[in-house]
């Protein structure tokens, strides 16, 4: 049984890697800031590292917060069966979406699947409808906000830099501040989770009286300042190379933007691995916990390292074998991207996710990134946006929660009937 569940968790992680990692690398590949091969290597390393080191938090949330675990106390094997069907149904839907090159939210798929089997098993009251409602709001609001932010960023870059007679002159003045904003946003989003274990150690072992969240936030801000200073120095080193640029870029301005876009993509890949691996391994962790203790996890569970490794390896394998389909959709099939526009899309995505986190709204990185790309397309030339592609993506977003819930509910009913 454990071997079968582990294989299914790897299968879900595989499809998650093939679909969701486009969030971090799609715009970088589309703008030619990196090649597809380089993107696969970079994302593979950072996704795996983020998953193994910091993937336990989201796993605990998904394992104990979507369906009320207290309702399964007297029927732990029912929860085991349900989590088994979650692995199968989410893996199937992500595989279908990936085969068509559609970027969807794995988080929404897992939440929908858990809701589906919970409804069949225990009735409508077993579902946290507030969470489902907030997800629906996030589906509508996220791409709109991200698109507006991306349009604002890109319109300013276009006016103050790209459309100038000699864009390298204003670029030298603007890029340090743009990189400061970018790295500051990513520093606040990613680095607090990275430094959370250090903060906990300082509080429990050293006796610090400062809240762990404040320690993590401060360390993220300090690291962002350091990275900004480093990027500024990198820019200073390239000031004399005004006429020298790689032929894959349109001009030296775009080549400079490509450097900062690559850095932003690395942050997104690490954050994505630490966040979304929970979608693949939370059901496995729940099943392992129940089989080991005979009880249902009520408040939280310890995620064994080998489970995190399974999730990390699965994400990287799926990305390497099949990830190029969704990467091509985000990077090439909506609008033609350059490093400057890709830079703005990732900055808008990061800002949107940060704002949503501050108000506690669950959002999808896929939704934010697609919205950002569309916002840039509307500023460049609305006619250049491939609305036919967007129709397919929007349809996939709309049906992800109900479809994954329906598939999981049917599978759960069939397994219960057979057994």
């Amino acid at each position: 049984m454990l071997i079968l569940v582990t294989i299914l968790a790897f299968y879900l992680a595989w499809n998650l890697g093939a679909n969701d990692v486009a969030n971090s690398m799609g715009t970088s590949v589309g703008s030619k800031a990196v090649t597809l091969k380089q993107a696969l290597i970079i994302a593979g390393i950072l996704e795996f590292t983020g998953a193994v080191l910091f993937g336990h938090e989201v796993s605990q949330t998904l394992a104990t917060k979507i369906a009320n675990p207290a309702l399964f106390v007297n029927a732990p094997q029912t929860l085991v069966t349900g989590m088994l069907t979650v692995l199968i149904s989410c893996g199937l839907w992500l595989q279908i979406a990936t085969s068509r090159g559609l970027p969807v939210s794995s988080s929404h798929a897992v939440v929908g699947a858990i809701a589906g089997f919970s409804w069949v098993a225990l009735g409508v009251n077993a579902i946290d409808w507030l969470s489902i409602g907030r997800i629906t709001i996030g589906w509508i609001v996220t791409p709109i906000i991200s698109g507006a932010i991306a349009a604002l960023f890109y319109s300013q870059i276009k006016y103050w830099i790209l459309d100038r007679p000699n864009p390298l002159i204003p670029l030298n003045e603007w890029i340090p501040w743009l990189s400061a904003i970018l790295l500051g946003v990513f520093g606040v989003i990613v680095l607090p989770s990275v430094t959370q274990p250090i903060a906990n150690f300082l509080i429990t072992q050293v006796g610090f009286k400062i809240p762990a969240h404040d320690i993590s936030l401060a360390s993220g801000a300090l690291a962002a300042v350091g990275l900004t200073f480093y990027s500024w120095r990198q820019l200073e080193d390239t000031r004399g190379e005004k006429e020298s640029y790689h032929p894959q870029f349109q001009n030296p301005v775009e080549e400079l933007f490509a450097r900062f876009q690559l850095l932003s993509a690395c942050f997104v890949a690490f954050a994505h691995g630490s966040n979304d691996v929970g979608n693949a391994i939370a059901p496995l962790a729940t099943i392992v916990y129940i089989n080991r203790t005979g009880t249902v996890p009520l408040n939280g569970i310890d995620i064994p390292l080998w489970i995190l490794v399974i999730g990390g390896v699965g994400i990287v394998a799926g990305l390497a074998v099949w990830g190029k389909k969704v990467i091509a959709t985000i990077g090439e099939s909506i609008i033609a991207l350059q490093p400057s526009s890709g830079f703005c899309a990732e900055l808008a995505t990061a800002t949107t996710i940060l704002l949503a986190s501050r108000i506690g709204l669950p959002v999808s990185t896929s939704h934010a990134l697609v919205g950002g790309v569309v916002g840039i397309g509307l500023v460049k030339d609305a006619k250049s946006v491939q609305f036919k592609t967007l129709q397919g993506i929007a349809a996939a977003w709309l049906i992800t929660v109900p479809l994954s819930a329906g598939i999981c509910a049917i599978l759960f009913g069939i397994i219960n009937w057979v057994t």
Side-chain angles (χ1 to χ4, degrees):
M1 175 67 175
L2 180 59
I3 295 176
L4 173 62
V5 175
T6 302
I7 292 173
L8 289 174
F10 182 86
Y11 168 69
L12 174 53
W14 172 293
N15 286 293
L16 189 152
N19 192 287
D20 258 18
V21 179
N23 297 332
S24 58
M25 287 294 165
T27 52
S28 295
V29 173
S31 69
K32 297 182 173 58
V34 295
T35 65
L36 178 61
K37 182 178 180 180
Q38 290 170 335
L40 295 176
I41 295 173
I42 294 169
I45 293 172
L46 292 171
E47 291 272 347
F48 179 82
T49 305
V52 172
L53 294 180
F54 305 105
H56 58 281
E57 295 292 342
V58 174
S59 302
Q60 290 185 0
T61 298
L62 289 172
T64 61
K65 301 299 182 183
I66 303 304
N68 186 354
L71 300 177
F72 293 92
V73 168
N74 296 323
Q77 288 306 310
T78 300
L79 185 57
V80 169
T81 303
M83 288 299 181
L84 180 67
T85 57
V86 168
L87 293 173
I88 299 172
S89 58
C90 291
L92 285 173
W93 169 234
L94 287 177
Q95 183 174 354
I96 292 170
T98 303
S99 68
R100 301 182 66 85
L102 298 173
V104 297
S105 171
S106 59
S107 301
H108 292 187
V110 171
V111 169
I114 293 175
F117 90 78
S118 298
W119 192 336
V120 173
L122 299 174
V124 66
N125 292 329
I127 302 172
D128 185 347
W129 287 105
L130 179 60
S131 295
I132 301 297
R134 293 171 73 193
I135 286 173
T136 303
I137 294 173
W139 176 81
I140 298 171
V141 172
T142 301
I144 296 175
I145 294 177
S146 182
I149 295 173
L152 176 63
F153 284 153
Y154 186 72
S155 63
Q156 296 305 303
I157 287 177
K158 189 173 183 295
Y159 177 79
W160 291 104
I161 300 175
L162 301 179
D163 290 344
R164 298 288 168 167
N166 187 356
L168 272 170
I169 295 176
L171 174 64
N172 288 333
E173 300 173 358
W174 275 89
I175 266 293
W177 304 109
L178 292 173
S179 62
I181 296 172
L182 175 69
L183 293 168
V185 168
F186 279 113
V188 172
I189 292 174
V190 179
L191 294 172
S193 64
V194 174
T195 56
Q196 188 72 30
I198 300 174
N200 292 335
F201 174 80
L202 290 175
I203 292 172
T204 58
Q205 303 299 323
V206 181
F208 272 37
K209 301 300 183 181
I210 304 174
H213 178 268
D214 292 344
I215 296 174
S216 298
L217 198 62
S219 62
L222 288 173
V225 171
L227 286 168
T228 301
F229 177 75
Y230 171 77
S231 65
W232 197 323
R233 291 298 302 272
Q234 289 293 304
L235 178 66
E236 291 290 330
D237 293 340
T238 62
R239 283 182 186 269
E241 302 175 10
K242 294 184 178 181
E243 302 303 327
S244 175
Y245 60 94
H246 196 282
Q248 73 185 37
F249 302 109
Q250 292 182 347
N251 50 58
V253 172
E254 294 295 347
E255 184 172 14
L256 285 176
F257 269 114
R259 299 189 181 192
F260 295 102
Q261 189 189 359
L262 176 59
L263 182 60
S264 68
C266 289
F267 274 114
V268 177
F270 184 89
H272 181 268
S274 61
N275 245 283
D276 280 26
V277 70
N279 299 328
I281 66 173
L284 172 60
T286 303
I287 293 172
V288 169
Y289 180 92
I290 293 174
N291 286 341
R292 187 178 75 247
T293 65
T295 61
V296 172
L298 296 177
N299 297 316
I301 55 177
D302 293 327
I303 311 295
L305 178 61
W306 70 268
I307 292 181
L308 292 169
V309 171
I310 289 292
V313 171
I315 287 176
V316 174
L319 166 66
V321 175
W322 219 12
K324 62 183 179 181
K325 283 183 172 288
V326 178
I327 285 178
T329 297
I330 287 185
E332 301 171 6
S333 299
I334 300 176
I335 62 168
L337 289 169
Q338 289 79 42
S340 56
S341 52
F343 175 90
C344 292
E346 289 173 356
L347 181 56
T349 299
T351 305
T352 302
I353 299 300
L354 176 61
L355 292 173
S357 299
R358 286 290 172 264
I359 62 176
L361 183 66
V363 295
S364 166
T365 309
S366 300
H367 293 191
L369 190 58
V370 171
V373 172
V374 173
I376 291 168
L378 294 177
V379 172
K380 294 178 68 176
D381 180 9
K383 295 180 180 179
S384 68
V385 180
Q386 300 297 315
F387 288 100
K388 185 176 181 180
T389 300
L390 291 177
Q391 289 174 358
I393 293 174
W397 288 354
L398 184 62
I399 65 175
T400 290
V401 171
L403 185 64
S404 59
I407 295 174
C408 194
I410 293 171
L411 286 174
F412 182 82
I414 293 174
I415 293 176
N416 268 349
W417 180 73
V418 171
T419 57

